[in-house]
Structure formats: structure tokens, C-alpha cells
Amino acid sequence: MCGSELYEGAIFCGECGSAVEATPYLRAPVDDRRASDTSIVSGAVVDGPTARPVAPSMPAPVIEASALPDQGNLAEPVPTWVIAASTGERVIVAGSGLLGRKPVTPAGEQFDQLITIADPTRSVSKTHLEFGVEAGELWVLDRYSANGTAVVSPDGQRRVCEPGRRYRVARGSRVEIGDQHLTIG
């Protein structure tokens, strides 16, 4: 992790995206008898973009599930969040991102999505707000935009967002950005 200060109950670092707590990963042992299986290529197990050699005589270690802390039902569906802009754009949230007329990722930062909002009146800043999902909840953060950001909850309460601070957004909320708005579903 990068050493940034985390909010209480944070699962991921807001700066670098690192997980605060890792979930154990169980891997089935490699069985040499499956040499014809196409998932085993040249004696290597692929973990993401890199491969590492596997000794043919050594099976991979197995961690007994009973030795791990209870992780609950890991097959629970992950909530899907949708941002629908008043200008017609509709995007499924996939991680963290920036939204604006022409969002730009600053040096040293990394985001999963850049969402461009068409705004001929230019009331939406180039990089107006940041968003992400943490603990299954969507949040937004005003990136010091010229015309500000406000969140209107489903019950009609309007909250002006202080730049640089995260705000949880409930489903059915409206996020006002300049003359435009986003509906959260």
C-alpha cells in the first residue's frame, strides 16, 4: 500500500487502490496426469500477465478450507452501479474513474474508467468528479470543479459536496454537475 490515510472501515486505498485485507485464494493442486489439458501450457501456471515455472514432481501446496477464517459466501453477487447522464450517456461503473467534459488522469494516479460527458454549455469541468465503489457502495468526489457538485438523495435532500471529499451516493440519487446531472441506479 502507498501509506495514504484510510477512512475507517475502508477496504481499498483511495489513492493506490490496494486492498486493505486480502482474501485467501485457494488453488487446486496441479496434476501432471492432465498434461493434455490445454490450461497447462509448457509446464507453467499463468497468474495474470506473468507465468512461473512449475516443477513437474512437486504438486502445488493446498490450503485446507477449515484452516482459513470464515469468509462467508464468496459467490454473492457484486452490486452493479449505473451512471446515467442527462446528456444521454449511460455507463456501468467498473471500479474507480473520472468523469467530465474531457477527463484526464493526472500523473501518478490510475483509474479504471474515464467517462466523457457531452456539455456544449461547458458548465461541467474537464475533470469534474471522481467516483468509485467501496464496500459495495458508490461514492463521488468533486475534483475542485469550477461549478461544483451536489448530491440530491432519493428523498429530496440536497447536499453540496466539499471538493476533495468523498460522499456516498444511494441508488436513485441525482448528482448535479454544473448545468447537467447524473442519475445513479
Side-chain angles (χ1 to χ4, degrees):
M1 210 162 65
C2 66
S4 296
E5 184 175 319
L6 300 175
Y7 294 101
E8 186 175 322
I11 297 173
F12 299 99
C13 174
E15 292 297 316
C16 69
S18 297
V20 175
E21 292 184 21
T23 303
Y25 175 72
L26 300 178
R27 173 180 296 193
V30 175
D31 185 352
D32 292 334
R33 291 173 287 170
R34 297 183 305 162
S36 63
D37 185 344
T38 57
S39 65
I40 300 174
V41 181
S42 308
V45 175
V46 178
D47 285 334
T50 61
R52 60 181 167 77
V54 175
S57 61
M58 288 181 45
V62 177
I63 300 171
E64 293 296 325
S66 60
L68 298 171
D70 182 20
Q71 296 294 315
N73 182 2
L74 295 178
E76 284 184 23
V78 176
T80 300
W81 292 91
V82 177
I83 296 175
S86 56
T87 55
E89 296 86 358
R90 184 177 165 90
V91 179
I92 294 175
V93 175
S96 63
L98 296 174
L99 182 142
R101 272 191 354 266
K102 191 174 181 182
V104 176
T105 303
E109 293 185 309
Q110 187 174 4
F111 296 97
D112 301 310
Q113 292 178 283
L114 296 177
I115 301 174
T116 301
I117 300 296
D119 180 27
T121 65
R122 298 173 57 115
S123 65
V124 175
S125 293
K126 287 181 181 178
T127 304
H128 197 102
L129 66 83
E130 180 179 339
F131 62 89
V133 177
E134 185 174 319
E137 295 188 74
L138 181 71
W139 56 265
V140 296
L141 175 145
D142 184 274
R143 298 278 292 204
Y144 298 89
S145 63
N147 292 316
T149 302
V151 176
V152 181
S153 65
D155 65 3
Q157 290 185 343
R158 187 173 190 272
R159 187 174 194 182
V160 175
C161 298
E162 178 184 325
R165 185 172 175 204
R166 290 182 178 181
Y167 292 85
R168 288 188 182 129
V169 183
R171 288 188 196 283
S173 294
R174 176 179 163 131
V175 178
E176 298 172 347
I177 54 173
D179 294 337
Q180 308 301 329
H181 68 271
L182 311 168
T183 303
I184 307 302

